């Protein structure tokens, strides 16, 4: 992680016959954001070509998230690829671990690559104070999948959000995002409803206000601990400064965070 602090639960040791290679930078021209960091792959020689093909996109993801969230919070980013298959990838401070099965080039795998990179901002640089606030990690990372999906031409952010809402509509309404309890802490509904919480806030405040709100959220709490109350206070402050009525931000997100019933899909985004 270089000189940056790392939460103790996000420290990992990976031991194997890995070859470390740099991923070539993506030439984005004048659109290249400040704060993007170099990306590396650590993989066995046998998987190197597949890893470069499937994970080379991470430099574009790095540029995308740096524009949306601010500078990457560590000195570098490394994707470790194991020879084994893994059920899910996993993030750690300044690196993520993928299984060989995540090199298949599918959108299902690509969205996970984006998800784990986004955790470097949400989870690793901004870390929850209590486990009940896990949506501040997973909801933001899931929302980032949609951000990348739109950036890469896979589908619009709204289309992806609606797809997630439809999936939730068919599932039991038995989870409260802001306090799911230990059994449901990593339930997929926390991920999707957490992401929809952010989308609902974006729709209520407008894309420009929301974008500045998120960038300042990261900048003000970089390498610190956060919780839901702190995020709501932050959202309210930005809403007021943008001229929105008192309480609008809380009103927009409360049904998603504090009730088990699924709210209606958010109205069309405000410009």
């Amino acid at each position: 992680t270089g000189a940056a602090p790392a939460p103790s639960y996000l420290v990992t040791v990976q031991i194997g016959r890995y070859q470390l290679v740099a991923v070539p930078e993506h030439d984005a021209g004048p659109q290249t954001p400040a704060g993007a960091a170099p990306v590396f792959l650590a993989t066995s020689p046998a998987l190197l070509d597949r890893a470069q093909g499937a994970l080379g996109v991470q430099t574009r993801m790095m540029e995308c998230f740096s524009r949306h969230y601010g500078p990457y919070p560590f000195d570098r980013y490394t994707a470790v690829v194991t020879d084994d298959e893994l059920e899910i990838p996993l993030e750690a401070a300044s690196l993520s671990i993928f299984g060989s099965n995540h090199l298949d080039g599918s959108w299902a795998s690509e969205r996970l690559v984006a998800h784990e990179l986004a955790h470097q901002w949400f989870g690793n640089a901004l870390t929850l104070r209590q486990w009940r606030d896990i949506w501040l990690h997973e909801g933001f990372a899931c929302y980032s999948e949609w951000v990348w999906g739109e950036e890469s031409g896979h589908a619009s952010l709204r289309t992806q959000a609606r797809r997630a809402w439809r999936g939730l509509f068919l599932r039991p309404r038995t989870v409260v995002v802001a306090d799911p309890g230990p059994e449901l802490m990593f339930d997929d509904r926390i991920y999707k409803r957490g992401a929809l919480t952010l989308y609902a806030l974006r729709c209520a405040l407008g894309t420009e206000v929301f974008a500045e709100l998120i960038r300042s959220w990261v900048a003000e709490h970089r390498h610190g601990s956060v919780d839901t109350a702190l995020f709501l206070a932050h959202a309210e402050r930005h809403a007021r400064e943008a001229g929105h009525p008192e309480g609008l931000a809380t009103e927009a997100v409360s049904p998603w965070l504090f009730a088990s019933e699924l709210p209606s899909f958010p109205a069309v985004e405000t410009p």
Side-chain angles (χ1 to χ4, degrees):
T1 65
S8 58
Y9 90 97
L10 289 166
V11 174
T12 185
V13 175
Q14 299 294 314
I15 300 173
R17 297 182 181 277
Y18 292 115
Q19 181 175 350
L20 185 67
V21 298
V23 177
E25 293 184 11
H26 173 244
D27 182 11
Q31 299 301 314
T32 300
V39 179
F40 294 84
L41 302 177
T43 180
S44 67
L47 291 176
L48 180 58
D49 288 344
R50 287 178 59 199
Q52 289 177 319
L55 301 177
V57 70
Q58 289 176 120
T59 55
R60 290 176 55 207
M61 291 178 180
M62 174 74 74
E63 292 163 2
C64 173
F65 294 155
S66 295
R67 286 199 310 274
H68 283 273
Y69 308 141
Y72 178 74
F74 301 100
D75 293 340
R76 62 196 286 180
Y77 180 65
T78 303
V80 178
V81 182
T82 68
D83 286 345
D84 300 319
E85 295 189 356
L86 300 179
E87 181 182 359
I88 56 171
L90 186 67
E91 85 282 0
S94 78
L95 63 83
S96 296
I97 303 101
F98 299 92
S100 58
N101 52 307
H102 296 123
L103 304 180
D104 60 8
S106 67
W107 171 249
S109 294
E110 186 174 322
R111 72 172 184 85
L112 294 176
V113 175
H115 183 106
E116 303 309 329
L117 177 55
H119 270 313
Q120 302 303 320
W121 284 265
F122 306 108
N124 300 1
L126 278 67
T127 307
L128 51 77
R129 285 197 176 100
Q130 301 178 79
W131 284 112
R132 68 184 181 187
D133 294 312
I134 191 65
W135 81 274
L136 290 170
H137 293 195
E138 302 302 346
F140 274 83
C142 182
Y143 177 82
S144 299
E145 296 175 25
W146 304 346
V147 170
W148 172 248
E150 183 167 77
E151 174 97 359
S152 64
H154 171 73
S156 71
L157 198 151
R158 186 167 180 83
T159 294
Q160 295 172 91
R162 185 179 291 278
R163 189 180 298 147
W165 184 89
R166 287 173 176 163
L168 289 168
F169 185 81
L170 301 175
R171 300 191 63 185
R173 322 288 170 78
T174 56
V175 63
V176 175
V177 173
D179 193 5
E183 294 83 6
L184 296 178
M185 191 170 69
F186 292 107
D187 189 287
D188 187 61
R189 290 170 293 177
I190 301 297
Y191 292 53
K192 299 300 193 295
R193 281 190 62 150
L196 283 163
T197 299
L198 297 172
Y199 183 68
L201 184 61
R202 172 175 160 155
C203 289
L205 301 185
T207 55
E208 292 185 7
V209 175
F210 177 80
E212 176 54 33
L213 183 159
I214 298 302
R215 282 193 292 267
S216 63
W217 171 245
V218 174
E220 291 174 21
H221 302 286
R222 182 182 176 98
H223 299 306
S225 299
V226 295
D227 58 29
T228 298
L230 192 63
F231 179 75
L232 292 180
H234 181 87
E236 281 294 341
R237 174 164 59 86
H238 276 267
R240 287 195 306 271
E241 291 173 353
H244 288 294
E246 183 78 27
L248 177 65
T250 301
E251 180 182 344
V253 303
S254 288
W256 297 94
L257 292 177
F258 303 116
S260 59
E261 186 59 34
L262 181 68
S264 300
F265 187 69
V268 177
E269 297 177 45
T270 303

